[in-house]
Amino acid sequence: MAAPTRRTVLGLARCWRRFESPWSLGSRSLTLAAAPSNSASPWRLLGALCLQRPPLVSKQLTPMQEEMAALLQQMEIERSLYSDHELRALDEAEQLEKKKSDLYEEKDEKNILLVQDLEDMWEQKFLQFKPGARITDADVKNDRSSLHRKLDRNLILLVKDKLGDQDVWMLPQAEWQPGETLRQTAERTLATLSENNLEAKFLGNAPCGHYKFKFPQAVRAEGSLGAKIFFFKALLLTGDFSPAVEKGRHVWASKEELGDYLKPKYLAQVRRFLLDL
Amino acid sequence: QRAGARQGRGPEGLPGPLRRDQRRWRFAAATLFPGFAAGFCPVLCLKNDTIFKQAFSLLRFRTSGENPVYSAGGILLTTSRHYRSKPTHGIGRYKHLVKPEEPKKKKGKVEIRAINVGTDYEYGTLNIHLIAYDMALTESYAQYVHNLCNHLSIKVEESYAMPTKTMEVLQLQDQGNKMLLDSVLTTHERVVQISGLNATFAEIFLEIIQSNLPEGVKLSVREHTEEDFKGRFKARPELEELLAKLN
């Protein structure tokens, strides 16, 4: 299972968080293997947010599952006893036959509503009911920035950001500031993303994954060797980007589509904590 | 004369007459292993007194009404008990190996509360409530959650059901003011009580449970409280009356 590997990752994250304190980044250098001579560590810390929209509709059954379901349903029906409604239907069918055979003594009609009438009414109501469509407009158009697509999958928010000179697709992130926990960094990213339109629920305080990269030689300054990003998972409750936001900057992608946007190494790390069922 | 000890050899150099217990064993062996008997038969036939005593012992068993085949085992069981000085003393003793059972509490159980916030941030007792209208579905999902916890080595304290709530839905009839059309909805609730959930792992666990929820099942994860515990007991109207009278 991936759980043990996750736990070691989280163990690493935990020992990072233990050293969070109101002082400087300097204390972090104690946990680094290669401690530089100056007090500041060369790694910049970023908290990233993995915002997931949970599936709204259950997945469609595979052909084998459908066959099995049909078989089990049939077995259940054959083994089951008659319900009240069916017993009533049988009684009334008997009474009707007796009436036809003229041996019947006229009794008071207790039930005005026969079972047949009830069933007809229900049938009509059922025909009037129209279930929602599984494949929405956005699916047809392949509009990836809409939230109303792929209703049976998990969707993750990706944002285009400037990293150095290039525009890179990544999960929304923000730099860690001393005095806050990494989870608060992630919450801050959420707030800045949508100006408080998106509501999300964080399930826990621990990060779910991490990614470490070194800056290219040109960008490397004295203090910064590279950056470490810690991902936090949140489930989207309500809200969406307002349509006024620039179109090309964000995308709601499912697990397969992530490959279209993210860089390979980043993608490999992100894939590890995505649960797609 | 016989040379030396009781086990001395007879004049022909054959094994001497057997002691009573030895004889019994040989007899048992003879009945159990015919080949063995065949080997010894010529030996025994040569010694008249041994035959006599053999037949005597045979008679003894026959008169007592036992089947010789059974008495083969019977010999081993009904012989004198394994004496204290013998190595077989205490054979068959097992109570000292079994852990003594604690006396079961008849009255209500005492609640055990774990530390909620510790160094490892472990949760105390958590209740996972699964609520649905369909009983088979709830039960099957409760079973799934229980198996999942077992597989992930999360301790499951208890897995119980809350009483079923019945709801009668009355619809207003199309013609007239009477509320006629009925349907009866039963709400079933199953609870899986777990303890010792790691805070780091809780996130993953909750996500697994949430994403695997079948249609129509509501999930609620809460901490276990006294009210949850007491809510399972039946209401006792007489006791409440008496308490009201006292106060």
Side-chain angles (χ1 to χ4, degrees):
Chain A
M1 251 195 80
T5 43
R6 267 193 217 124
R7 284 188 210 218
T8 47
V9 159
L10 298 173
L12 170 86
R14 239 186 292 146
C15 76
W16 272 101
R17 288 192 44 234
R18 265 202 208 115
F19 285 91
E20 265 155 35
S21 47
W23 343 317
S24 61
L25 275 169
S27 54
R28 288 188 178 277
S29 59
L30 293 167
T31 55
L32 286 175
S37 53
N38 53 338
S39 54
S41 96
W43 297 98
R44 285 170 61 193
L45 282 183
L46 299 151
L49 176 71
C50 173
L51 191 61
Q52 265 191 353
R53 186 219 65 188
L56 298 173
V57 158
S58 63
K59 280 197 179 156
Q60 266 195 330
L61 300 173
T62 62
M64 191 185 90
Q65 282 176 337
E66 285 204 23
E67 274 183 44
M68 188 66 185
L71 178 69
L72 287 174
Q73 180 74 359
Q74 200 184 359
M75 277 170 68
E76 232 187 79
I77 292 175
E78 285 175 13
R79 279 191 200 170
S80 67
L81 303 170
Y82 284 126
S83 68
D84 289 339
H85 180 81
E86 285 173 322
L87 287 172
R88 237 181 96 186
L90 289 172
D91 281 338
E92 287 182 5
E94 269 185 45
Q95 282 184 0
L96 272 175
E97 283 200 14
K98 276 189 189 171
K99 266 194 192 169
K100 283 184 192 167
S101 66
D102 294 332
L103 293 171
Y104 185 68
E105 294 153 12
E106 288 290 328
K107 279 189 198 171
D108 306 316
E109 285 282 315
K110 281 179 203 171
N111 299 327
I112 307 165
L113 265 179
L114 286 179
V115 161
Q116 272 299 314
D117 300 335
L118 277 174
E119 286 187 0
D120 288 335
M121 275 196 327
W122 294 338
E123 189 70 38
Q124 279 185 359
K125 272 195 192 166
F126 181 64
L127 289 170
Q128 284 171 3
F129 173 72
K130 281 202 172 64
R134 268 172 177 266
I135 303 175
T136 57
D137 292 336
D139 274 331
V140 171
K141 283 189 247 159
N142 204 10
D143 177 19
R144 291 196 176 172
S145 60
S146 132
L147 198 53
H148 201 63
R149 65 185 287 263
K150 290 225 168 166
L151 296 174
D152 56 351
R153 309 294 308 276
N154 272 329
L155 291 183
I156 302 164
L157 180 66
L158 292 177
V159 189
K160 211 176 200 178
D161 239 349
K162 279 219 161 185
L163 194 67
D165 297 333
Q166 304 159 336
D167 262 347
V168 171
W169 281 106
M170 60 166 100
L171 298 176
Q173 64 196 26
E175 180 128 9
W176 176 81
Q177 276 154 18
E180 65 174 4
T181 62
L182 275 169
R183 179 174 151 166
Q184 284 167 355
T185 321
E187 284 168 357
R188 200 160 40 92
T189 33
L190 180 67
T192 48
L193 265 182
S194 63
E195 290 90 30
N196 296 326
N197 236 351
L198 293 167
E199 269 178 38
K201 186 177 170 73
F202 284 86
L203 286 175
N205 287 327
C208 51
H210 76 297
Y211 179 63
K212 174 176 97 172
F213 68 97
K214 288 189 179 172
F215 294 138
Q217 285 289 345
V219 187
R220 249 182 243 193
E222 261 190 27
S224 56
L225 179 64
K228 291 192 180 180
I229 312 178
F230 289 95
F231 300 105
F232 285 84
K233 227 184 218 180
L235 292 179
L236 181 71
L237 292 172
T238 53
D240 193 4
F241 282 104
S242 51
V245 175
E246 218 180 296
K247 269 277 167 168
R249 309 297 295 186
H250 74 275
V251 134
W252 292 96
S254 69
K255 197 171 177 184
E256 303 93 28
E257 295 162 4
L258 284 180
D260 299 339
Y261 298 95
L262 300 176
K263 299 256 170 82
K265 282 193 183 167
Y266 193 79
L267 175 67
Q269 291 288 85
V270 166
R271 267 229 181 110
R272 288 177 70 183
F273 60 78
L274 285 184
L275 198 67
D276 209 15
L277 296 163
Chain B
Q1 312 108 299
R2 304 233 174 94
R6 288 188 266 165
Q7 271 268 224
R9 298 225 152 234
E12 280 112 54
L14 294 155
L18 302 164
R19 296 197 308 273
R20 181 180 282 162
D21 44 343
Q22 280 182 327
R23 213 182 303 130
R24 278 196 199 133
W25 208 96
R26 289 283 167 85
F27 179 66
T31 47
L32 291 171
F33 309 106
F36 194 73
F40 271 89
C41 230
V43 174
L44 292 171
C45 290
L46 286 165
K47 296 273 172 179
N48 280 338
D49 52 346
T50 48
I51 295 173
F52 250 111
K53 286 173 187 164
Q54 185 88 29
F56 182 64
S57 57
L58 219 162
L59 270 173
R60 265 186 50 221
F61 290 123
R62 280 271 164 81
T63 46
S64 67
E66 284 172 291
N67 193 355
V69 180
Y70 286 159
S71 65
I75 288 169
L76 296 169
L77 291 173
T78 57
T79 29
S80 50
R81 61 177 173 83
H82 304 287
Y83 203 66
R84 266 176 276 170
S85 62
K86 301 296 168 212
T88 47
H89 174 64
I91 202 172
R93 203 165 69 104
Y94 70 94
K95 283 273 173 170
H96 63 290
L97 297 168
V98 174
K99 278 192 197 154
E101 252 190 60
E102 280 155 24
K104 275 190 182 175
K105 277 196 171 179
K106 283 181 199 168
K107 300 285 174 167
K109 298 167 210 169
V110 183
E111 259 194 276
I112 315 161
R113 269 247 182 102
I115 316 164
N116 242 329
V117 177
T119 43
D120 270 349
Y121 294 97
E122 258 192 28
Y123 282 102
T125 323
L126 289 175
N127 279 352
I128 305 175
H129 295 256
L130 303 159
I131 307 154
Y133 293 123
D134 185 358
M135 180 162 85
L137 194 60
T138 346
E139 284 188 343
S140 133
Y141 195 59
Q143 212 178 27
Y144 168 80
V145 168
H146 197 146
N147 280 332
L148 186 74
C149 293
N150 286 345
H151 181 66
L152 298 169
S153 341
I154 301 173
K155 178 145 191 264
V156 175
E157 304 275 344
E158 271 187 276
S159 174
Y160 55 88
M162 297 295 279
T164 321
K165 294 178 200 150
T166 318
M167 241 195 319
E168 282 210 349
V169 177
L170 301 166
Q171 274 181 349
L172 196 61
Q173 225 187 357
D174 293 329
Q175 313 113 14
N177 285 330
K178 248 205 289 191
M179 302 274 259
L180 199 57
L181 293 161
D182 295 342
S183 53
V184 175
L185 292 175
T186 47
T187 309
H188 307 268
E189 186 172 342
R190 299 285 179 270
V191 182
V192 180
Q193 199 175 84
I194 53 175
S195 69
L197 188 65
N198 228 350
T200 47
F201 185 61
E203 198 183 327
I204 305 168
F205 181 66
L206 285 174
E207 214 197 321
I208 297 175
I209 297 188
Q210 248 183 334
S211 44
N212 275 318
L213 266 184
E215 304 104 326
V217 181
K218 282 176 250 183
L219 171 73
S220 161
V221 182
R222 305 169 211 160
E223 287 179 2
H224 187 59
T225 56
E226 281 286 326
E227 294 92 48
D228 284 331
F229 183 63
K230 293 207 171 131
R232 290 180 69 191
F233 293 106
K234 274 192 194 172
R236 284 207 238 162
E238 323 94 27
L239 193 71
E240 283 167 16
E241 269 180 53
L242 288 170
L243 279 171
K245 277 186 194 171
L246 278 173
N247 302 336

